[in-house]
Amino acid sequence: MLPIQQIIHECIKGDRAAQKQLYYALVDDLLMVAHRYTRDANFAHDVVQNTFIRIYSNLSMYQPEIASLHTWAKKICVYEAIAFLRKNQKHTVNVSIEDVLIPFKTDHNHENETVETLTAKIQALPDEHRMILNLYFFEEMSHKEIAALLQIQESSSRSRLSRAKDQLRINWKAAFFFLLIKTWIYGS
């Protein structure tokens, strides 16, 4: 595999092999980012496809002294995911209470169960709350940056983040209560 700067240079020249190397170097991380926003594998693939179109067409403007290629690509992916959600607001995902209150299984370790449960709870949040939560905690954006990106007030960003955290706290307590009831009824 070529060094990343050489891959970028070859991609700018239109080399398909270099574009393929760049794709495989970034695709997994970008799919995770896109899925965090869209909550749907097919929509995430659409977002990633649009992300790569933007990456390839703007690669000559990439400045390695400002950000790493992965950081730059993830930022493009976040913008594409938000644009996708704005354009396709009719494609909301309905989540049932069973999806939110994932019962713990005894055949896995507790760390994986906790991560899976937290991920499900984040995915169950309303789009506007989940988006702010992702931007703030995963993309490490400030409320000022989030407000500019989403074209909202900074105070709206803060209040939506607070509501998202409150909802997560309530859902987490409900899941714990569900686990206690299940344990009490079934014995394990």
Side-chain angles (χ1 to χ4, degrees):
M1 185 165 170
L2 299 172
I4 196 69
Q5 289 301 356
Q6 189 173 352
I7 292 173
I8 292 169
H9 182 68
E10 295 300 317
C11 284
I12 292 170
K13 293 192 314 188
D15 182 327
R16 294 284 185 197
Q19 289 174 346
K20 187 176 180 179
Q21 280 187 325
L22 185 65
Y23 175 85
Y24 285 115
L26 298 173
V27 70
D28 291 336
D29 289 339
L30 297 181
L31 278 170
M32 285 190 331
V33 169
H35 194 269
R36 239 188 348 250
Y37 288 87
T38 63
R39 294 190 286 189
D40 180 276
N42 292 324
F43 293 155
H45 280 89
D46 291 345
V47 167
V48 169
Q49 180 178 354
N50 292 340
T51 300
F52 274 106
I53 290 169
R54 280 195 54 200
I55 287 171
Y56 291 140
S57 60
N58 294 305
L59 203 51
S60 61
M61 293 187 285
Y62 166 65
Q63 298 173 339
E65 62 277 358
I66 294 177
S68 73
L69 182 64
H70 275 78
T71 302
W72 183 71
K74 284 180 181 180
K75 191 165 193 166
I76 292 172
C77 188
V78 168
Y79 286 119
E80 284 298 319
I82 291 169
F84 178 86
L85 290 173
R86 281 187 181 141
K87 189 168 73 170
N88 299 295
Q89 286 182 347
K90 63 183 180 261
H91 297 298
T92 57
V93 178
N94 294 324
V95 180
S96 69
I97 191 71
E98 291 81 19
D99 293 335
V100 176
L101 301 175
I102 295 176
F104 285 81
K105 299 177 184 129
T106 56
D107 56 344
H108 289 60
N109 72 38
H110 291 297
E111 186 175 309
N112 286 342
E113 292 163 356
T114 304
V115 171
E116 291 169 8
T117 304
L118 182 58
T119 301
K121 288 178 186 351
I122 290 171
Q123 293 299 330
L125 290 172
D127 288 343
E128 65 181 14
H129 296 146
R130 189 184 72 258
M131 195 178 307
I132 301 281
L133 191 84
N134 284 334
L135 292 170
Y136 188 80
F137 287 111
F138 295 110
E139 309 308 328
E140 299 178 353
M141 292 178 134
S142 69
H143 287 293
K144 185 175 185 174
E145 293 170 318
I146 294 169
L149 175 65
L150 300 179
Q151 301 169 348
I152 59 174
Q153 297 293 320
E154 269 186 71
S155 59
S156 295
S157 174
R158 280 190 205 84
S159 66
R160 289 179 189 177
L161 178 64
S162 177
R163 283 189 217 121
K165 291 191 303 188
D166 289 345
Q167 252 184 311
L168 282 175
R169 201 173 295 117
I170 290 166
N171 289 342
W172 193 262
K173 287 178 183 177
F176 182 71
F177 179 73
F178 181 76
L179 174 64
L180 286 176
I181 296 295
K182 180 183 170 210
T183 304
W184 182 67
I185 292 172
Y186 298 109
S188 64

